Each structure stands twice: as structure tokens, then as C-alpha cells.
Amino acid sequence: MTKAMAPRSRKVRVLATLGPASNTPEMIAALHAAGADAFRINMSHGDQESKVPVIAAIRALEKSTGRPTTILADLQGPKLRVGKFAEGKVTLATGATFRLDRDTTPGDATRVELPHREIFEAVTEGARLLLDDGKMVLRVIGYCDGWIDTRVEVGGVLSNSKGLNVPDMVLPLAALTEKDRSDLAFAVAQQVDWIALSFVQRPEDLAEARRLIGPGGPALLAKIEKPSAVARLDEIVEACDGVMVARGDLGVELPPQNLPPMQKRIVETSRRMGRPVIVATQMLESMITSPSPTRAEVSDVATAVYDGADAIMLSAESAAGQWPIESVTMMDAIADSVERDPAHGDRVHFTVMRPDPTTADALAEAAKTIAANVSASAIICFTMSGSTARRIARERPSVPILVLTPKAETARRMGLLWGTHAVHTKDVDSFEEMVAKAKRMALRQGIAKGGDRVVVCAGVPFGTPGSTNVLHVVTLVGDELKGRS
């Protein structure tokens, strides 16, 4: 039997994006050893065939470490782009007029094709159009069915197929493109653990993805990267299993000074509603080319940890940068340092959690309180679906959460959930077996030692999802390590 890897000392999770710099089995193992708890596979780059050995390498790593490891497949979504230019690029002069139209003829300094009819249907006079990640700004001064006239407010060089953002419009775009549907089917077939849906604008956008995933499939994560999504944030969070603060496109469409409070609002709402929340994009951006981050980047990562985010994510830093292992090591070190700050616990609880009037929520809140009052070393929860673990993690207890589940899928999803250490193990049939197993697994996993107290949370009858109704405090003795798994 493989000896399980010891639990991480920190509670926030680290999500590392894989790419050309890091998609070999050796690099994946090195990133995991450096601190990566979960891996993101970006479906925007490369074909599906190239992802198969990467997923296989992660599953092989899981087997060798004895630790469930999380895979998130990130769908590209309906990315908006301008057409092509006769000379490959043009210079847009500030103050000039520029037309976007449906003519497929290569463009010039006066016009270019806009191959998205949805924008023509939603455009309004005065709306902003942002080009190339916001480097250039156009203001709509007139439009009809076949063209949009704009004035260039911020000029620059615009080249073929550059991205377009429309912060002032809610577009009637399908949430999933044909590519996304194909990639989603591939991800489900490969049994990934999470699927991230890009450019979510409304809760209805999540419905088709849910239907295509089907019952028992991967968990669904909503990427918040448009201001229109923030307007319906509570509804979107309610409709998904997790949330990502995708600060790339969100930061383009918002004034820069509005992004930090928006990030805090999304994190707070997700935490309040019991959904894992990831803070992502440009967290250690300078480490793409430098072996050390800037002080501002370190503070940015630290802020997300102090705010109680479930996970913090590396993008190009680990996928295509020159220092992928160093980036993960640095993120791990920052998170560990912040969590050792005596003020960390108070800051995490600035967000007030009010439990729902249910037995499961009442027990989760009580587990946190009892663990603190009796100086327990851990909270141990038995769960089928992961719901009990999510409720306990929502309370942000001061001790680690040992999650015992008979479902490998549930154990793997825990890699994005704050403070959890998941173990895939056989279910129990009786109260006595539950207590014995909780003691044995706490010792075996190194999460507690003889003489320590632990708080056990479970549901009776056992093996019934959503039946959490038992809270029990037990004291460990060293010889209880013997016994079945």
C-alpha cells in the first residue's frame, strides 16, 4: 500500500496551470512537491489529444503519493475578436473615427470586420469597446445593422484577431461555443474533477453546462470576468459549485481602482454562500521571467489569503514561464507565512458567516466552536457528496479538516476547498466503527497524535448523502493506529 503524503500545513489551496513549461510527468510531480494542490488544464491552448497524457500523469502522481489530486479543465468560452487587416496591423490615431462592420474584406486604418452579430444587436451609443486587453479604447458614436462607427479615445497599434471587450453591454451570446461543447465532453470523458465556464454573464449561462455534464459528473465553476456577472452575483454563485475571480478580463472591463473592492465582494459572497472561491490572474506575473516576485505581487497574494479565499492560482507563471517550480514554491511560502500570522484568524473572520437554519449548518458551526473550546487538533468529517466538508470549511475553523469519503470523485474535488485533507477510504456501517476509523485515520494521516482530541462529524444512517446529524468528541491513543483502512 502506498504511504499517503502528509497533509499540507497551510489551509489555502494552490492551483497551478499546466502548459509547455510544466506538462511533463517530472514537472507535474515537482510542482506538486513544491506545493501545488490542484492543476488547471487550459482548453484554450493545444488540442484535446495533447491533454490526455497530462491527465494520465496527474492520475499517476495521485497513485504514487496516495493523495487525491484535483484536475480543473478551463473552457475557452466565447472570446470576442476583431477580423484581419490587409497589412497585418494598423495604427489607430487618438481622435480618429474607426468603423467595425460585417464586411469580410481585410481591414485598414479606417475599418475592420467584427465577426460577432451579437454585438450589433446589443450596441448602444456611447458604449465603450476595448481592444487588445484594454490597450485601446473606442467610443460608439453611431450604428446600424451592418456597422458600428466609433471614435478612438485611446489609440495604438491594432493587429489581426486581437481581443475585444464590451464592458457596457450584456451580450446575447451562448455560454458555450461549439469548441466548448466538444472540450466539455472530452473533459467529462477524461473524468476531470472541475469544469470552469468562462465569461459567465447570467445564471442561465450555467444551465447548459450542467445539462451536458450530467448527473455525477465534474463540479461546475463559474469564472467571474465581466461586470454584467457581478450585477447578478448572488444568483450565479447559487447556480454553481465554485467561483473564480478571473481578474484578467474583469480588470480590463473595470476601471483599475474598482477591481480590489470587486474582488473582495466576490470572495465574500462566495464564502457566505458556501462555494469555494479562487483568486486568479497575474498573482506572481513577474515570475514568468524573474526568479523572484515584486513586493506588490507578494502583497496581492497575501491579501487573497487574509480574505479567506479557498485557493490562489498561478497562470502563465507555471504554464509557460521560466520559473514554474519557483513560482509554486513562492506562492506556497507566502500563504504559509500569512497563515502563521497571529492576526490571520481574525482577518479571515471579518466575513461573518450566518449559518442556514438547517441541522447540517448548525453542526458545522458547532464543530468549529467545539474544536476551539476543547483545543482539538482536527475536525474529521465523513461525507459522500462533500457537502459536510464544504459546510465546515465555510466556517473557517482554526484546525485542519480531515475528509473521509468512499467516493474518489468527492475526495478529488476537495483540492479546491479551504483547510481540507481528503482521504478516499471505505465507508463505515455503525457508530462504533465511525469512531474507531476516525481515530485510526487521524493518526495514520499525521493530522493528530496520541492524547489529542478530535471532533467527528457524520450522518446517520451512514452512506446517506445530506444526513449530517452527529457530532462527537473523542480522544486518541497511540495504539489505535492498528487496524483496517
Side-chain angles (χ1 to χ4, degrees):
M1 178 178 174
T2 301
K3 180 176 173 57
M5 181 178 176
R8 306 282 192 200
S9 60
R10 56 172 162 74
K11 296 181 174 67
V12 70
R13 310 289 84 182
V14 172
L15 173 60
T17 301
L18 299 178
S22 57
N23 57 14
T24 65
E26 295 77 17
M27 280 298 297
I28 292 170
L31 294 180
H32 186 262
D37 302 288
F39 295 100
R40 170 178 173 254
I41 296 176
N42 189 352
M43 302 305 295
S44 298
H45 304 296
D47 57 22
Q48 293 173 2
E49 186 178 352
S50 68
K51 315 296 184 190
V52 175
V54 177
I55 293 170
I58 297 170
R59 292 303 182 221
L61 172 70
E62 176 181 87
K63 188 173 182 180
S64 69
T65 61
R67 180 187 179 115
T69 305
T70 306
I71 302 174
L72 179 145
D74 194 339
L75 304 182
Q76 177 175 285
K79 186 72 173 177
L80 304 175
R81 299 183 185 278
V82 298
K84 298 183 182 300
F85 295 94
E87 302 297 326
K89 61 183 178 180
V90 297
T91 299
L92 301 185
T94 300
T97 58
F98 188 71
R99 173 170 285 191
L100 303 161
D101 57 39
R102 299 191 184 189
D103 184 353
T104 59
T105 305
D108 54 31
T110 64
R111 60 153 297 276
V112 74
E113 179 195 8
L114 182 60
H116 302 286
R117 61 173 179 76
E118 298 87 355
I119 298 178
F120 293 92
E121 295 172 4
V123 69
T124 57
E125 191 165 337
R128 290 170 300 151
L129 304 178
L130 310 179
L131 300 168
D132 194 9
D133 291 334
K135 294 182 179 71
M136 286 155 278
V137 180
L138 310 180
R139 182 78 62 175
V140 176
I141 57 175
Y143 61 92
C144 76
D145 289 343
W147 50 261
I148 299 171
D149 279 344
T150 70
R151 189 169 304 283
V152 181
E153 291 192 346
V154 178
V157 176
L158 180 63
S159 54
N160 290 342
S161 305
K162 282 298 182 181
L164 175 75
N165 292 84
V166 288
D168 302 330
M169 307 177 206
V170 177
L171 298 181
L173 284 169
L176 293 164
T177 65
E178 287 303 317
K179 171 179 167 53
D180 292 332
R181 291 188 186 93
S182 175
D183 288 342
L184 188 149
F186 166 80
V188 171
Q190 288 290 312
Q191 298 182 322
V192 305
D193 310 301
W194 287 84
I195 289 177
L197 188 61
S198 297
F199 300 107
V200 172
Q201 297 188 91
R202 55 185 81 83
E204 293 82 5
D205 290 345
L206 298 160
E208 184 182 3
R210 283 277 191 212
R211 180 180 62 79
L212 293 173
I213 289 171
L220 181 60
L221 184 140
K223 293 171 67 178
I224 308 299
E225 46 196 333
K226 294 189 72 64
S228 54
V230 179
R232 302 185 67 182
L233 184 60
D234 282 28
E235 297 170 85
I236 290 171
V237 174
E238 181 69 33
C240 67
D241 302 306
V243 175
M244 181 187 292
V245 188
R247 302 182 305 177
D249 279 274
L250 187 60
V252 169
E253 299 202 4
L254 284 171
Q257 67 273 16
N258 291 0
L259 185 59
M262 191 65 71
Q263 174 178 318
K264 287 183 180 292
R265 177 183 167 190
I266 298 168
V267 171
E268 180 178 349
T269 301
S270 302
R271 286 189 52 195
R272 176 170 48 81
M273 299 181 71
R275 302 297 192 273
V277 56
I278 304 165
V279 177
T281 318
Q282 296 179 333
M283 300 206 79
L284 296 175
E285 183 84 352
S286 68
M287 291 194 73
I288 295 172
T289 56
S290 170
S292 59
T294 67
R295 290 159 182 78
E297 289 168 342
V298 172
S299 294
D300 181 40
V301 174
T303 295
V305 180
Y306 277 121
D307 286 346
D310 289 83
I312 44 182
M313 189 180 100
L314 293 166
S315 299
E317 302 96 327
S318 59
Q322 299 174 20
W323 309 92
I325 296 173
E326 290 79 2
S327 296
V328 172
T329 301
M330 178 56 65
M331 187 165 269
D332 176 76
I334 296 166
D336 186 67
S337 177
V338 169
E339 291 188 4
R340 291 179 188 277
D341 178 2
H344 172 256
D346 291 337
R347 292 180 182 273
V348 164
H349 289 103
F350 280 172
T351 299
V352 178
M353 296 293 110
R354 293 184 175 86
D356 294 333
T358 64
T359 300
D361 265 1
L363 287 175
E365 184 183 37
K368 179 193 76 170
T369 303
I370 292 170
N373 288 346
V374 303
S375 299
S377 294
I379 297 172
I380 303 173
C381 74
F382 290 80
T383 183
M384 290 285 288
S385 67
S387 175
T388 301
R390 287 192 299 273
R391 292 174 189 273
I392 295 172
R394 175 177 179 263
E395 300 297 326
R396 298 297 190 258
S398 59
V399 296
I401 306 163
L402 178 60
V403 181
L404 304 179
T405 178
K407 296 186 67 175
E409 301 85 8
T410 297
R412 287 167 175 164
R413 289 181 190 175
M414 296 297 105
L416 296 181
L417 189 63
W418 191 92
T420 55
H421 176 74
V423 177
H424 177 212
T425 183
K426 295 177 183 176
D427 204 3
V428 294
D429 298 315
S430 67
F431 184 85
E432 292 75 16
E433 187 182 357
M434 175 196 79
V435 172
K437 184 158 198 165
K439 293 179 176 180
R440 188 168 63 250
M441 296 304 286
L443 292 167
R444 180 173 294 163
Q445 296 296 319
I447 212 161
K449 60 185 186 302
D452 287 353
R453 288 177 174 176
V454 296
V455 178
V456 183
C457 197
V460 177
F462 295 102
T464 304
S467 64
T468 305
N469 55 12
V470 172
L471 199 60
H472 191 61
V473 180
V474 297
T475 302
L476 308 181
V477 255
D479 60 6
E480 285 165 334
L481 185 56
K482 302 173 183 177
R484 296 184 295 113
S485 62

